[in-house]
Amino acid sequence: MTLPFRKMHGLGNDFVVLDARGRPDLRLTPARAAAVADRHTGVGCDQLIVLEPAEGGGADVFMRIRNPDGSEAGACGNATRCVASLLAAETGRPRVTVRTVSGDLPAVALPDGRWRVDMGPARLGWRDVPLAREFDTLHLPISRGPVGDPAACSIGNPHATFFVPDLSRLRLDTFGPSLERDPLFPERANIGFAQVVAPDRILLAMWERGAGPTRACGSGACAALVNAHRRGLTGRRATVVLPGGELEIEWREADGHVLMAGPVATAFTGELDLDALPEPAAPAHAAA
């Protein structure tokens, strides 16, 4: 089964985008998704994005998101911007709506070439994250060595943000794998480590659920701003600085929606033979 693909990224958070809107025969199993994402024997990506028809109207496309381990994600801010730019090129419209399993995400092109996505409302209840049992999501009883006391929320995916004094001294692979799978997170969680350097500036490193360390995570940046504001550490707007670059995040007071603005880029295009891809070995962090 051969089909064209596009390799895109937002701040180095990279995606293989497949257009299945005209391919009802495409059966993308978790194993095949993992094979495409494998950086040694596949194309390689942080997430595989599959475009499908948006049923029922109200959106321009349905975006399915697969992690490198084959699991499905609910939302991805950087990928939403990439997909929005593709739809705009198709339709000539600067405003589009991308549907995900977590809801519809409106996006608009900005004059400077960036895209802004409405990621929807931040969900703060313990069932919304979700947690395995009832806790105040502003302070969770989780720690690993010197890091602890995270705040949690859902931005289409479960997120926990740990606030640290010096991000440069932290090793993601030391704490990320076990925190992602802490028993308090029945669906696992994206783990963010945030250093607030000013009321409008946050340094952030992310360990993504099912993917491990990534150069940027849009929903993680949104969660970091939301949780930092809830802790009284920032205002409702901030620049979130990730290894791959900067995102502008706003937690809108009027309706609780989180807005994210950032760049998009296409690295290359090609053709993919799904049947020729071997199934990859399980990633090292999957068993952690």
Side-chain angles (χ1 to χ4, degrees):
M1 181 180 294
T2 301
L3 68 164
F5 72 88
R6 184 180 297 266
K7 180 72 176 286
M8 304 187 74
H9 71 90
L11 301 179
N13 185 197
D14 62 337
F15 316 102
V16 171
V17 182
L18 302 178
D19 190 347
R21 288 174 292 178
R23 296 294 300 266
D25 59 324
L26 181 63
R27 298 291 182 266
L28 195 68
T29 64
R32 273 184 166 176
V36 174
D38 190 286
R39 295 190 183 276
H40 299 286
T41 58
V43 180
C45 59
D46 291 326
Q47 275 88 28
L48 174 64
I49 305 300
V50 183
L51 306 184
E52 302 175 5
E55 304 293 340
D60 295 279
V61 75
F62 180 86
M63 178 178 74
R64 193 171 301 280
I65 310 162
R66 292 284 189 182
N67 292 317
D69 64 0
S71 62
E72 190 166 357
C76 179
N78 289 322
T80 302
R81 296 199 314 276
C82 291
V83 170
S85 70
L86 293 179
L87 294 174
E90 287 181 3
T91 64
R93 292 187 282 110
R95 294 177 180 270
V96 298
T97 299
V98 179
R99 180 163 294 163
T100 71
V101 296
S102 296
D104 288 357
L105 306 179
V108 59
L110 300 179
D112 60 5
R114 297 181 302 158
W115 278 82
R116 184 174 64 225
V117 178
D118 182 342
M119 296 293 290
R123 302 187 182 279
L124 310 178
W126 71 274
R127 290 186 176 90
D128 298 324
V129 175
L131 303 179
R133 54 192 184 278
E134 184 174 1
F135 280 106
D136 177 4
T137 60
L138 194 54
H139 295 279
L140 298 185
I142 301 174
S143 64
R144 298 291 190 279
V147 300
D149 185 33
C153 65
S154 173
I155 309 289
N157 289 323
H159 285 272
T161 308
F162 292 77
F163 295 96
V164 300
D166 187 354
L167 194 58
S168 67
R169 300 175 64 87
L170 185 79
R171 286 184 56 104
L172 277 178
D173 56 359
T174 299
F175 305 110
S178 64
L179 288 170
E180 175 193 346
R181 292 168 173 77
D182 189 276
L184 194 55
F185 304 121
E187 298 179 7
R188 299 186 290 168
N190 297 282
I191 306 299
F193 299 97
Q195 178 185 348
V196 178
V197 296
D200 61 353
R201 195 166 184 85
I202 303 170
L203 309 183
L204 180 65
M206 288 296 305
W207 181 276
E208 290 197 49
R209 177 181 63 164
T214 58
R215 291 183 57 77
C217 175
S219 59
C222 294
L225 182 277
V226 167
N227 288 329
H229 181 73
R230 294 170 70 204
R231 290 274 181 97
L233 302 174
T234 67
R236 284 186 168 268
R237 295 185 183 187
T239 299
V240 179
V241 184
L242 297 124
E246 299 182 353
L247 294 171
E248 302 295 329
I249 310 297
E250 177 186 357
W251 188 16
R252 195 163 57 196
E253 187 170 9
D255 58 7
H257 283 223
V258 187
L259 309 179
M260 174 201 58
V264 302
T266 294
F268 57 88
T269 61
E271 287 196 343
L272 183 64
D273 186 350
L274 288 177
D275 295 324
L277 288 173
E279 292 189 15
H285 60 77

